Amino acid sequence: MTVHNLYIFDRNGNCLYYNEWNRKKQAGISKDEEYKLMYGMLFSIRSFVSKMSPLDMKEGFLSFQTSRYRLHYYETPSGLKFVMNTDLSVSNARETLQHIYSNLYVELIVKNPVCSSTPSLDSELFSSRLDAFIRALPYYSPRAA
Amino acid sequence: MVIFSVYVVNKAGGLIYQYDNYVPRAEVEKTFSHPLDLVLKHHDEKVVVSFGQRDGIRVGHAVLSINGVDVVGKNTAEGKDILEYLKDPSNYPVSIRFGRARLSSNEKLMLASMFHSLFAIGSQLSPEVGSSGIEMLETDVFKLHCFQTLTGIKFIVLADPRQSGIDALLRKIYEIYSDFALKNPFYSLEMPIRCELFDQNLKNALEVAEKAGNFGAGS
């Protein structure tokens, strides 16, 4: 039961925040390229899903899973995208991501007059609160190395 | 509990088989008077609603028919441009049917190839070692399941999110593929599948899976 990593993207595709807790394998490309690839993949998945869907959707793409991990996705109406990779035992992390948005991002970044002007999240408080929150999740447990 | 459709993609990412089992087309037909309070625009050879959601007509819905006669792309059945037709007050009152546009074969081909690439990227961006590509993709109205064989063929099934037993169905489709397509001496590998027995057996397997899924999820 674990959380691997978390990305936060803004509506233009810039990665605002990234942190990893239990990542075993790097992507083999530089971090910048990885952010772009991740954003591009999500953008394509959203467009794919909207065309492919047999019925009209309200929330759209929620998550996908492979044989080893699950990617959870949450997008706010303002275009902010929260992406979290966890292992397969976590079935729904949507509330977690919503909590990160409303209780951490909005409280600590949006309401901070100093942080709102710069695009990337430089707030120490945000990083430490987010880290504490993730570690406190019921499904987070650092695996023995 | 339904299975919407089945796609089979070859190693190169090309669509070789597609079957729509259940296509729920929620369509709305309404009579309008001039001026039209919806904003329509051209998109991809179709006329779609870009603004003005109301009464079941959503943004993204396409114009399907005017006065009961199906439209042809951007033009009415007589060949007049739809937007021009709707600007003319003398054509009103007009009855227009809106709904989700059906995917054309070209669009299905493109979507299958798109998924083929997304499948590979899902594996590349994995934070864990030895991950496969995307095996299940979930949205609020459907779940897409994908099974990749050792030879690189992908079987993709779109179903209701509550439908169970899709893994077994994917394996069954693989079995049907190897029995009725691969063992068919007239079938060439990686080419579109045009084998009657494959179609029939696939349809039967889908029926069985839908019924079994109903029992499983209902209890």
Side-chain angles (χ1 to χ4, degrees):
Chain A
M1 287 266 230
T2 184
V3 175
H4 295 299
N5 49 11
L6 173 79
Y7 302 74
I8 303 181
F9 293 99
D10 72 1
R11 58 177 350 140
N12 297 321
N14 303 316
C15 183
L16 302 175
Y17 182 81
Y18 169 75
N19 202 354
E20 56 189 44
W21 289 271
N22 252 334
R23 186 172 191 165
K24 311 264 174 33
K25 168 187 163 286
Q26 298 301 321
I29 47 180
S30 76
K31 273 292 180 255
D32 279 336
E33 284 180 26
E34 185 187 316
Y35 301 152
K36 281 191 241 179
L37 187 60
M38 175 61 83
Y39 185 81
M41 178 181 74
L42 291 167
F43 187 85
S44 304
I45 289 182
R46 282 177 52 230
S47 136
F48 171 79
V49 156
S50 74
K51 287 219 138 124
M52 199 67 146
S53 173
L55 301 158
D56 292 314
M57 303 191 299
K58 278 193 291 288
E59 315 255 359
F61 167 57
L62 298 171
S63 72
F64 75 68
Q65 88 179 46
T66 73
S67 60
R68 295 289 152 121
Y69 76 99
R70 194 178 226 134
L71 181 143
H72 304 264
Y73 177 79
Y74 173 62
E75 182 175 358
T76 70
S78 53
L80 208 61
K81 299 167 179 54
F82 291 82
V83 183
M84 183 158 77
N85 290 334
T86 66
D87 71 352
L88 295 175
S89 52
V90 182
S91 58
N92 193 336
R94 201 164 171 79
E95 277 124 35
T96 310
L97 292 172
Q98 269 173 334
H99 183 275
I100 295 178
Y101 172 63
S102 43
N103 298 23
L104 292 173
Y105 181 82
V106 168
E107 293 297 319
L108 303 177
I109 306 288
V110 177
K111 293 187 179 175
N112 183 337
V114 174
C115 276
S116 299
S117 47
T118 58
S120 76
L121 305 182
D122 270 333
S123 164
E124 268 286 336
L125 185 58
F126 177 76
S127 301
S128 58
R129 285 266 177 93
L130 180 59
D131 193 61
F133 173 70
I134 296 281
R135 286 180 199 276
L137 283 172
Y139 46 78
Y140 176 84
S141 65
R143 292 238 200 92
Chain B
M1 302 293 161
V2 276
I3 295 173
F4 297 117
S5 36
V6 175
Y7 293 73
V8 182
V9 178
N10 68 14
K11 295 212 267 284
L15 185 65
I16 57 175
Y17 185 78
Q18 199 278 319
Y19 174 62
D20 285 326
N21 186 38
Y22 176 71
V23 179
R25 290 294 165 197
E27 290 162 5
V28 177
E29 181 147 23
K30 287 182 68 62
T31 313
F32 296 92
S33 56
H34 192 77
L36 205 57
D37 52 0
L38 304 163
V39 177
L40 301 173
K41 65 169 190 191
H42 280 189
H43 177 73
D44 266 359
E45 289 307 310
K46 292 188 283 264
V47 176
V48 296
V49 176
S50 86
F51 185 79
Q53 230 165 254
R54 61 165 234 194
D55 293 339
I57 302 172
R58 314 260 312 256
V59 170
H61 278 196
V63 172
L64 298 174
S65 78
I66 293 187
N67 289 332
V69 180
D70 283 342
V71 304
V72 177
K74 294 196 283 230
N75 304 327
T76 65
E78 288 100 45
K80 285 199 290 264
D81 183 70
I82 294 176
L83 295 179
E84 291 303 315
Y85 184 83
L86 292 173
K87 282 205 188 83
D88 188 353
S90 64
N91 291 320
Y92 287 82
V94 70
S95 153
I96 312 179
R97 184 150 50 96
F98 290 95
R100 275 191 76 87
R102 273 171 199 97
L103 288 172
S104 68
S105 332
N106 261 351
E107 286 176 331
K108 287 180 185 164
L109 271 160
M110 285 196 296
L111 290 173
S113 309
M114 199 192 278
F115 182 74
H116 174 83
S117 318
L118 294 171
F119 182 94
I121 299 177
S123 158
Q124 186 184 7
L125 287 175
S126 164
E128 285 248 36
V129 179
S131 170
S132 73
I134 299 177
E135 290 188 341
M136 199 270 291
L137 191 143
E138 181 166 7
T139 74
D140 52 347
V141 295
F142 73 94
K143 252 192 196 170
L144 179 147
H145 301 255
C146 176
F147 169 53
Q148 181 175 51
T149 70
L150 292 165
T151 51
I153 306 278
K154 289 192 236 323
F155 296 98
I156 299 166
V157 169
L158 262 77
D160 188 285
R162 295 154 297 168
Q163 179 83 28
S164 58
I166 300 287
D167 281 335
L169 173 66
L170 284 167
R171 303 282 180 289
K172 180 85 188 138
I173 297 178
Y174 184 26
E175 208 183 292
I176 295 174
Y177 167 75
S178 49
D179 279 340
F180 299 104
L182 295 183
K183 293 181 189 173
N184 181 337
F186 299 112
Y187 173 67
S188 337
L189 270 179
E190 314 290 314
M191 289 287 118
I193 301 175
R194 304 234 185 286
C195 313
E196 231 182 87
L197 285 176
F198 179 78
D199 293 334
Q200 282 169 16
N201 280 275
L202 181 66
K203 286 183 182 106
N204 292 340
L206 289 177
E207 270 173 36
V208 167
E210 276 182 329
K211 289 202 192 78
N214 271 333
F215 293 143
S219 54

